[in-house]
Amino acid sequence: MTWKITKKRGNFRPVLHYTLTLTEYERDLALPAVRIQSPIPKPPDAGWAHCWPGQNERGDWRPSEFHLLMTPSHKTGEASDSLRLPWRADNAYPEVERAFAMLREAFEAALAQAVDSAPLDLAGSLETSEAARRHMAPALAAQRLLRAVRP
């Protein structure tokens, strides 16, 4: 898991860029994508790259929506995304690291469950039982005798 937060000077909102990559071993376990609701607030009008003073998160705002984070599935093996973060004067986003720690914990639980599912290579065979052979023996002997006397 790698992430980076970038922000332009001024009234621009920061953007969180992240990439999650599964190892070959994790892909071989056919791990499902793991999704969590993070503690990262989704700003109002999240499509806007800016937030002016007194508006949205720079006004009287309490977060009501939070970003979802998701690991990639075993089929793709990698996921990248960019999320807009709320504007903050101090540029502090401690919930980002907390969110990725939560995602890692959920992913590791799925990983442990997959690892605990042991491999199986089961084969078997059965031969004709003694009782069936005794039952078939007279018919088989008769068939062989008839073949021997037929021209």
Side-chain angles (χ1 to χ4, degrees):
M1 297 179 182
T2 60
W3 68 89
K4 179 180 182 180
I5 300 173
T6 59
K7 179 190 173 297
K8 296 178 188 177
R9 180 175 300 279
N11 296 313
F12 288 97
R13 286 176 167 155
V15 178
L16 167 65
H17 308 274
Y18 69 91
T19 300
L20 308 169
T21 306
L22 299 180
T23 65
E24 187 176 334
Y25 179 73
E26 292 164 343
R27 288 184 77 174
D28 288 345
L29 290 172
L31 288 169
V34 175
R35 181 182 297 224
I36 64 157
Q37 181 163 336
S38 78
I40 303 169
K42 185 184 247 184
D45 299 319
W48 294 2
H50 65 280
C51 183
W52 288 319
Q55 287 188 335
N56 295 326
E57 68 266 26
R58 293 178 78 178
D60 186 27
W61 173 69
R62 299 240 187 271
S64 60
E65 287 186 81
F66 296 86
H67 286 290
L68 296 175
L69 296 178
M70 188 169 88
T71 62
S73 78
H74 72 282
K75 291 180 182 179
T76 59
E78 186 171 295
S80 293
D81 203 358
S82 296
L83 310 173
R84 207 163 309 275
L85 301 175
W87 187 96
R88 292 187 182 151
D90 63 1
N91 283 334
Y93 297 91
E95 65 273 23
V96 170
E97 187 166 348
R98 196 166 58 249
F100 284 106
M102 290 168 58
L103 183 60
R104 181 185 65 194
E105 186 177 312
F107 176 77
E108 286 176 353
L111 179 62
Q113 193 174 31
V115 168
D116 289 345
S117 180
L120 176 66
D121 188 2
L122 180 64
S125 67
L126 293 173
E127 293 185 16
T128 308
S129 70
E130 185 65 33
R133 279 188 251 156
R134 274 195 301 267
H135 184 76
M136 294 182 327
L140 185 59
Q143 184 180 26
R144 286 186 181 158
L145 281 172
L146 287 175
R147 262 196 226 146
V149 292
R150 281 194 186 154

